[in-house]
């Protein structure tokens, strides 16, 4: 069974989009990847797009979307990034809250360390999910 991961941040324009881009890149079809925001922006943060382009990952086609309870229900793992209590909690799900700086309004040189932190966390998550899926 393919695990589903939902990344959630407030605007679904930076952190959650970068995390989703990394997980899609790392895991391919082995993991279903969703992302959403509690108060989605009208477009993805262009600096987040530029930061991911440096990694060879194109997130330009992604659009911020509103967090939907059904997405949480369908997900095996829910990774929040500063959305606080906006995220509904269902028993039996894996929840992680990643404390990450918000890249909104920051220049690329300040977004790179945030991106690198997200990459490290996603690599660990993917390793864990893929190991469990293979078991």
């Amino acid at each position: 069974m393919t695990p589903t991961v939902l990344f959630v941040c407030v605007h679904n324009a930076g952190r959650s989009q970068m995390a989703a881009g990394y997980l899609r890149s790392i895991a391919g079809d082995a993991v279903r990847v969703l992302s959403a925001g509690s108060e989605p922006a009208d477009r993805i943060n262009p600096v987040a797009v530029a930061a991911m382009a440096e990694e060879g990952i194109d997130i330009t086609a992604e659009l911020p979307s509103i967090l939907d309870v059904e997405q949480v229900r369908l997900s095996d793992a829910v990774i929040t990034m500063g959305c606080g209590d906006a995220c509904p909690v269902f028993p039996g799900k894996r929840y992680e809250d990643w404390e990450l700086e918000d890249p909104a309004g920051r220049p690329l040189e300040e977004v790179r360390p945030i991106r690198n932190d997200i990459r490290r966390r996603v690599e660990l998550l993917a390793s864990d999910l893929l190991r469990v899926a293979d078991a």
Side-chain angles (χ1 to χ4, degrees), residues 51-112:
M52 292 303 286
E54 291 181 346
E55 298 281 287
I57 298 172
D58 181 3
I59 60 171
T60 56
E62 303 302 322
L63 295 171
S65 64
I66 186 78
L67 176 63
D68 176 303
V69 172
E70 193 59 23
Q71 292 171 310
V72 178
R73 191 184 320 278
L74 293 171
S75 297
D76 299 293
V78 179
I79 311 300
T80 58
M81 304 168 191
C83 79
D85 297 334
C87 232
V89 175
F90 290 97
K93 306 279 181 206
R94 172 181 178 167
Y95 288 91
E96 291 183 25
D97 185 42
W98 293 356
E99 292 196 22
L100 298 162
E101 295 289 323
D102 188 346
R106 295 177 186 255
L108 185 57
E109 55 272 8
E110 290 179 22
V111 173
R112 285 185 185 119

Side-chain angles (χ1 to χ4, degrees), residues 104-124:
R106 295 177 186 255
L108 185 57
E109 55 272 8
E110 290 179 22
V111 173
R112 285 185 185 119
I114 299 167
R115 175 202 65 200
N116 295 344
D117 189 10
I118 291 170
R119 180 181 60 226
R120 181 186 58 78
R121 291 170 189 250
V122 169
E123 287 169 347
L124 292 170

